[in-house]
Amino acid sequence: MTHAPFLIDGADRNGAWVITCDHATNAVPNHVNGGTLGLPESEMARHIAIDIGALGVARALGHALDAPVVSANFSRLVIDPNRGADDPTLIPQLYDGTIIPGNRVLPEAERQRRIDLLYAPYHAAIARTAANRDVAFLAVHSFTPRLKNRPPRPWEIGVLSAQDRRIAEPLMRGLQSVLSSPVGDNAPYAGFFPGDAMSQHAHVPGRPNVIIEIRQDLISDPQGQQHWANLLAPHLEAARLHANL
């Protein structure tokens, strides 16, 4: 059976947003090294392989905002859809202290095959979903509370953006008004990698956009995912309207 490289929830929704989830799953398709990267299940369950809880939040936000949700159906360790196709970390060999055996020796033909069968179809699905629509882009991610040998991260949520701050700034103000912990401004990550998913589908075409990063332990179960979607949805809409979008 052919492995579907992406999933779309609510393709017929007509709201003002398109939602993406780049690191939705830890799946390794059978056509990639026989369905394994040589890591134990405990490693594949970590943040290095999947953004824990992000897909549940994205789907709940899709319902709340009447927005289609496009999610990648392969692990970021197989190939990272949130990197440019020429990025040296597109297929990682090492992630947060873990060596990825299935990626250690990777012929160029295998790299290209993963692009053709997984990466490119996912990005094509996003482009089709947004085609001929006046929409804002929202990418949903999660982050680990602490990287190996690094200090704990103080944020519950981060709001990421590049040069286009139209949605990010009012969204941060709205969230900070209801949260006791600091809202990360381009934290815990920078809001832009050249050629990344938001660059391809929002920055280059000039669409308003924002990336949400939620601490994974807060959204590890359906209750937490729904809670954060309920909290975020009105603030996202208020930020979009504040920006006259």
Side-chain angles (χ1 to χ4, degrees), residues 120-142:
Y122 171 64
H123 284 288
I126 297 174
R128 287 194 303 271
T129 301
N132 303 316
R133 297 183 62 190
D134 185 14
V135 293
F137 261 81
L138 167 65
V140 180
H141 293 260
S142 70

Side-chain angles (χ1 to χ4, degrees), residues 57 99 117 193 206 221 231:
V57 175
I99 294 171
L117 295 179
F193 296 98
D221 58 38
L231 186 152

Side-chain angles (χ1 to χ4, degrees), residues 128-222:
R128 287 194 303 271
T129 301
N132 303 316
R133 297 183 62 190
D134 185 14
V135 293
F137 261 81
L138 167 65
V140 180
H141 293 260
S142 70
F143 65 93
T144 182
R146 185 174 189 171
L147 291 169
K148 286 186 177 180
N149 303 317
R150 301 286 184 87
R153 290 163 159 171
W155 313 279
E156 290 186 336
I157 188 168
V159 176
L160 282 59
S161 62
Q163 295 86 1
D164 187 343
R165 306 273 292 176
R166 289 175 289 174
I167 294 176
E169 290 186 359
L171 178 60
M172 283 189 293
R173 290 194 296 268
L175 290 174
Q176 197 62 80
S177 71
V178 298
L179 295 174
S180 57
S181 61
V183 174
D185 182 359
N186 280 326
Y189 307 106
F192 174 70
F193 296 98
D196 66 10
M198 199 62 87
S199 175
Q200 293 184 47
H201 301 289
H203 301 165
V204 172
R207 293 185 173 111
N209 61 89
V210 69
I211 302 170
I212 296 295
E213 288 268 2
I214 307 171
R215 209 176 71 203
Q216 66 186 33
D217 58 308
L218 302 175
I219 54 172
S220 61
D221 58 38

Side-chain angles (χ1 to χ4, degrees), residues 51-67:
D51 275 5
I52 295 166
L55 180 58
V57 175
R59 285 176 168 169
L61 282 170
H63 283 287
L65 299 172
D66 191 34

